[in-house]
Amino acid sequence: MKKFMATSLVAVLFTMTIPAMAELNVFACEPEWASLASEIGGERIRTYSATTAFQDPHHIEARPSLIARVRRADLVICSGAELEVGWLPLLQRQAGNPSVLPGKPGYFEAAAMVERLDIPVVLDRSVGDVHAQGNPHVHLDPRRIQGIARALQTRLIEIDPDGKAYYQSRLIDFNQRWQQATEQWQYQAKKLKGTRIVVHHRDWVYLFDWLGIQIAGALEPKPGLPTSVGHLLSLKQALASNPAAMIVHTTYQNPRAAKRLAQMTNIPVVELPYTVGGDERVTDLFSLFDVTIQRLMDGLQ
Amino acid sequence: MKTKSLFLGAIVFACFNSISYASKLSGINPDISLTLDGRYGSYSNAGDYELPGFMLGSEASRGEKGFYLGHNELSISANIDDMFYGKFTTAITEHEAKTEVELEEAYIETPALGYGVTVKAGRFYSDVGYLNNQHGHAWDFADAPLIYRGLFANQLLDDGLQVSWLAPTDIYFKLGIESTRGERFPAGGAANDGRGANAVFAEFGGDVGVSHAWQLGFSHWRADVVGRTAGAHAHGTTSEIPTFTGDSRISGIDFVWKWAPNGNKHERNLKIQAEYFVRDENGRVDMAGSSPLETSTYEGEQSGWYLQTVYQFKPRWRIGYRYDRLRADNTGSDPSVLTEASLDDKDHTPERSTLMLDYSHSEYSRIRMQYARDKSYTDSDNLFFLQYIVTLGAHSAHRF
């Protein structure tokens, strides 16, 4: 036993390599934040995304590999607003890395940087798994992304003051491109204003708020609860008198419920990428909105 | 309709909400959570439970018959300040129509020490083994594996200090040591001026692709035991209590493999878990209360393992199977004393097969059915459990 431990310790010390460059290790809870961090941090940071577009960020295992990543992180970027409440606190507590604990500069909560929607009036679990600080899926509104990008730049400068000029110029460049793209998206999506769409979970609140889309209903009877036949029937009834243009779901949600409702109502189903990596064409935040708006427009036809 | 107006209300509220630039979003402080656990048990055998070859602690039993309450726990935890985290868990249980309060956890921890080092002090579940540091309500079955029942009286819990170090590597590697009082089962007597038990553990872990994750652990526990008594044993009308004094060592290996398609565990996931422990003991067994004192030298080796797999085949529904097996080889100068102390294995190999089906309506509630073909004691039995476990309050975060 002891011999085994001694050999493994030596092996671990041997494989420990310290990077030569003073790069910041950025641990992003979700791919959208890894992408945003790359936009602002460029070559001064190395990003790692804890999740992919195919994983529900509400339900992630506090895996050993994630603890190991947080251990070496200089900055942890997450949505916050309790989205990661089931796993992030465990990673932070077990990693032995004080610089990324809540309240420290190394912990960046994107949702805390912007105004949030869906802040519950009543906090009661009988209405589902609601987040006390509001809806955490803030990355689907380009206006909010801009605010978060600015806050992230400030935070990067705080952690890595040597890179101040670099981060500032990256932000200016990003803002320029983002502003332009936002205007174009808004133009492309003009027709979506007032459209009624059925959602799986309320992941789309910020996107819809931005584009003026109305939520015609949710496949989840209550946030976090799987759909039921009874709930689909009541949705069908509601949609009969007040129809919707499409049903949307993310890559990590099972499309079965959406397809079932589509069969019942003849409303088309549209899968949206939700985040970076959710479609092979979605490689960054820009293409995320490109594809999302294109899919929504296609769904409208 | 109600949810719709709620939603509109939320939006209106959000528009007037100007404190959204808070530096940190957090729930209430501290986190308070209450776990409710109720059961119905059914089995045939009457009389005291025995695990041949193992001296059992007082909490090691197969449960009650009929309706009864499990561990109803109140847990309070929070960051104390920027250096310390604290947790307190108390369980209220019923034992022979008396309500008992058990202090399960009361510790402080230093997540902010840095360099991967974390110090924990107080009463805590040992990091020996895989299942041990998890709360019973987080287990996948209604009861502990037989080897946990046999060696630890379900769970190894002690008062002391733990220091662990997490290596700054991509592969998860954690080393830890524990020094504890050694008064509680399976130690006893708080030897060495209240530093009677020590443990070391090493954990490795990582991912294989995006769909698989694993963890492997090694642990070793050692105690100077002074007068460990076995509970839950009546031998006729006498009140002779088997008592062990000597050296006790436990070594263990544990392995967990988890799979979820694309790492998305919400829809479907599979967990395979196995642990093996072996205990060596060397010393003396007395029958306290006997006159003249019945005593024997005692050299024991007890070992056991379990393998379990739990599959969530659709959201909310999980099915599981567990197989347990134990082995004991105990010798001493007076075999009749060992027999009285339940250390005679009676040429019986304890084993058990368990099937489980549970339904979780939400993350906070679970209803479980469990059936076991129990051959852990000499009379085989069929065990059936129906159980609910629900959590009120803070969102539970479960370890890997």
Side-chain angles (χ1 to χ4, degrees):
Chain A
M1 194 73 200
K2 276 190 184 127
K3 195 175 166 194
F4 165 76
M5 282 187 187
T7 29
S8 46
L9 182 61
V10 169
V12 164
L13 290 172
F14 189 72
T15 51
M16 254 197 271
T17 44
I18 291 134
M21 254 184 71
E23 279 180 326
L24 288 186
N25 275 317
V26 175
F27 177 99
C29 284
E30 291 89 19
E32 61 266 24
W33 306 128
S35 185
L36 185 64
S38 301
E39 294 285 355
I40 312 299
E43 285 166 359
R44 290 190 75 89
I45 66 167
R46 188 165 39 190
T47 59
Y48 171 81
S49 177
T51 58
T52 73
F54 296 92
Q55 297 169 351
D56 186 342
H58 299 85
H59 305 282
I60 298 298
E61 293 268 6
R63 301 195 307 275
S65 63
L66 298 184
I67 300 170
R69 291 285 181 171
V70 172
R71 159 77 167 93
R72 292 194 298 162
D74 300 298
L75 177 63
V76 168
I77 309 179
C78 297
S79 294
E82 296 183 353
L83 178 63
E84 302 94 357
V85 69
W87 50 285
L88 182 65
L90 273 178
L91 302 183
Q92 287 171 314
R93 223 173 54 237
Q94 292 187 64
N97 179 358
S99 57
V100 298
L101 290 174
K104 296 284 169 59
Y107 178 51
F108 183 89
E109 259 181 311
M113 307 301 158
V114 293
E115 186 189 40
R116 289 168 311 284
L117 304 176
D118 279 3
I119 292 176
V121 180
V122 182
L123 259 188
D124 189 310
R125 293 225 172 103
S126 64
V127 299
D129 196 7
V130 291
H131 303 287
Q133 283 90 30
N135 191 309
H137 309 279
V138 291
H139 71 283
L140 288 167
D141 177 355
R143 300 166 303 180
R144 286 183 164 85
I145 286 283
Q146 203 152 31
I148 294 164
R150 198 176 312 116
L152 182 58
Q153 174 233 221
T154 311
R155 192 62 68 85
L156 282 168
I157 292 169
E158 194 180 339
I159 296 170
D160 177 24
D162 292 346
K164 186 175 177 181
Y166 182 78
Y167 297 130
Q168 280 172 337
S169 71
R170 297 273 310 182
L171 179 70
I172 290 168
D173 176 57
F174 172 77
N175 273 343
Q176 235 162 26
R177 289 181 294 132
W178 193 253
Q179 189 61 41
Q180 221 168 15
T182 306
E183 279 162 24
Q184 201 189 337
W185 293 323
Q186 266 167 337
Y187 177 74
Q188 286 169 343
K190 255 198 313 209
K191 268 196 192 161
L192 287 166
K193 194 166 182 178
T195 307
R196 287 166 49 81
I197 294 181
V198 178
V199 300
H200 184 114
H201 175 76
R202 301 180 65 87
D203 316 272
W204 310 104
V205 169
Y206 295 95
L207 180 75
F208 289 8
D209 177 61
W210 169 54
L211 295 175
I213 298 171
Q214 288 172 17
I215 294 184
L219 296 175
E220 290 181 341
K222 280 159 189 175
L225 296 188
T227 193
S228 63
V229 178
H231 179 66
L232 288 183
L233 285 173
S234 67
L235 265 180
K236 182 193 172 186
Q237 237 165 25
L239 291 169
S241 56
N242 198 355
M246 62 192 107
I247 306 162
V248 299
H249 66 86
T250 68
T251 43
Y252 64 77
Q253 286 155 351
N254 192 327
R256 217 169 26 218
K259 283 178 181 159
R260 181 95 55 91
L261 185 66
Q263 275 168 4
M264 291 159 67
T265 58
N266 273 327
I267 298 174
V269 177
V270 175
E271 184 184 274
L272 297 179
Y274 177 72
T275 185
V276 177
D279 181 286
E280 52 188 26
R281 288 184 297 155
V282 179
T283 52
D284 58 12
L285 286 167
F286 289 91
S287 44
L288 171 65
F289 283 93
D290 287 342
V291 172
T292 300
I293 285 165
Q294 197 201 323
R295 291 265 173 87
L296 287 172
M297 292 305 292
D298 289 350
L300 210 52
Q301 316 279 291
Chain B
M1 194 61 219
K2 196 184 159 202
T3 43
K4 199 169 178 185
S5 59
L6 203 87
F7 168 63
L8 287 174
I11 296 238
V12 171
F13 180 79
C15 293
F16 290 99
N17 175 23
S18 57
I19 50 157
S20 47
Y21 281 85
S23 65
K24 178 196 159 205
L25 300 170
S26 72
I28 50 162
N29 182 21
D31 285 337
I32 298 172
S33 85
L34 178 69
T35 305
L36 302 179
D37 174 0
R39 292 150 181 246
Y40 177 86
S42 161
Y43 52 89
S44 320
N45 288 351
D48 285 325
Y49 180 75
E50 273 194 336
L51 206 47
F54 290 77
M55 258 172 88
L56 294 181
S58 59
E59 284 217 25
S61 76
R62 75 207 127 168
E64 308 279 333
K65 280 182 184 178
F67 296 105
Y68 69 105
L69 290 176
H71 272 218
N72 290 280
E73 292 177 352
L74 180 67
S75 187
I76 302 172
S77 64
N79 287 321
I80 293 158
D81 50 30
D82 59 354
M83 176 55 77
F84 296 107
Y85 165 88
K87 185 169 186 186
F88 175 86
T89 306
T90 179
I92 300 169
T93 57
E94 193 96 338
H95 192 65
E96 287 168 355
K98 264 186 272 176
T99 302
E100 289 176 1
V101 177
E102 288 169 30
L103 187 56
E104 292 200 333
E105 287 174 301
Y107 66 81
I108 59 167
E109 198 176 52
T110 62
L113 215 53
Y115 305 101
V117 175
T118 304
V119 177
K120 196 191 260 191
R123 172 168 296 185
F124 52 87
Y125 289 114
S126 168
D127 269 316
V128 162
Y130 168 70
L131 212 49
N132 195 71
N133 64 27
Q134 298 181 7
H135 276 251
H137 63 254
W139 293 350
D140 296 320
F141 291 85
D143 47 12
L146 286 181
I147 189 65
Y148 273 77
R149 182 186 288 175
L151 297 188
F152 306 130
N154 293 341
Q155 250 176 313
L156 185 57
L157 178 63
D158 209 346
D159 307 341
L161 193 71
Q162 181 195 74
V163 181
S164 65
W165 175 71
L166 182 65
T169 48
D170 275 350
I171 189 164
Y172 173 84
F173 173 63
K174 188 176 168 185
L175 267 181
I177 54 167
E178 291 171 5
S179 178
T180 53
R181 183 168 177 80
E183 193 160 26
R184 297 170 62 89
F185 193 91
N192 300 332
D193 302 320
R195 284 176 285 111
N198 292 286
V200 292
F201 60 90
E203 292 167 0
F204 303 82
D207 294 342
V208 179
V210 76
S211 303
H212 305 268
W214 59 275
Q215 185 179 304
L216 173 68
F218 299 90
S219 44
H220 185 74
W221 178 90
R222 184 179 174 177
D224 290 328
V225 182
V226 182
R228 173 181 82 206
T229 55
H233 282 272
H235 293 270
T237 51
T238 59
S239 56
E240 292 173 12
I241 301 165
T243 307
F244 166 69
T245 295
D247 178 49
S248 178
R249 298 162 191 233
I250 299 172
S251 298
I253 176 167
D254 54 85
F255 182 68
V256 185
W257 186 280
K258 292 189 184 184
W259 168 83
N262 284 320
N264 194 25
K265 70 167 185 168
H266 187 56
E267 292 287 330
R268 284 184 303 144
N269 66 73
L270 178 77
K271 178 182 180 187
I272 296 169
Q273 152 190 346
E275 295 189 65
Y276 169 81
F277 289 98
V278 57
R279 173 163 73 185
D280 285 298
E281 296 197 315
N282 214 321
R284 195 182 78 238
V285 171
D286 303 328
M287 294 307 290
S290 61
S291 175
L293 187 70
E294 297 170 24
T295 180
S296 171
T297 62
Y298 158 57
E299 203 166 314
E301 187 190 291
Q302 295 117 27
S303 63
W305 58 272
Y306 73 90
L307 172 70
Q308 71 179 51
T309 175
V310 174
Y311 180 52
Q312 181 182 307
F313 52 97
K314 61 189 234 175
R316 295 175 159 177
W317 291 92
R318 306 190 312 160
I319 189 162
Y321 173 76
R322 176 180 66 189
Y323 179 75
D324 284 282
R325 196 180 174 94
L326 304 181
R327 192 185 145 270
D329 182 10
N330 307 318
T331 54
S333 57
D334 187 344
S336 67
V337 172
L338 296 192
T339 302
E340 271 191 80
S342 176
L343 284 165
D344 176 10
D345 68 3
K346 298 180 178 168
D347 285 330
H348 178 73
T349 302
E351 58 175 335
R352 183 177 64 177
S353 289
T354 312
L355 271 173
M356 175 286 284
L357 176 72
D358 66 22
Y359 167 80
S360 304
H361 186 74
S362 70
E363 287 173 80
Y364 308 100
S365 63
R366 177 168 284 166
I367 293 168
R368 175 182 289 149
M369 269 186 338
Q370 183 174 315
Y371 165 78
R373 179 70 185 154
D374 189 359
K375 297 179 186 170
S376 65
Y377 39 124
T378 42
D379 299 321
S380 302
D381 205 350
N382 296 309
L383 262 78
F384 177 76
F385 285 114
L386 201 58
Q387 181 190 22
Y388 68 77
I389 316 165
V390 300
T391 309
L392 291 74
H395 194 292
S396 46
H398 292 305
R399 293 180 70 155
F400 179 78

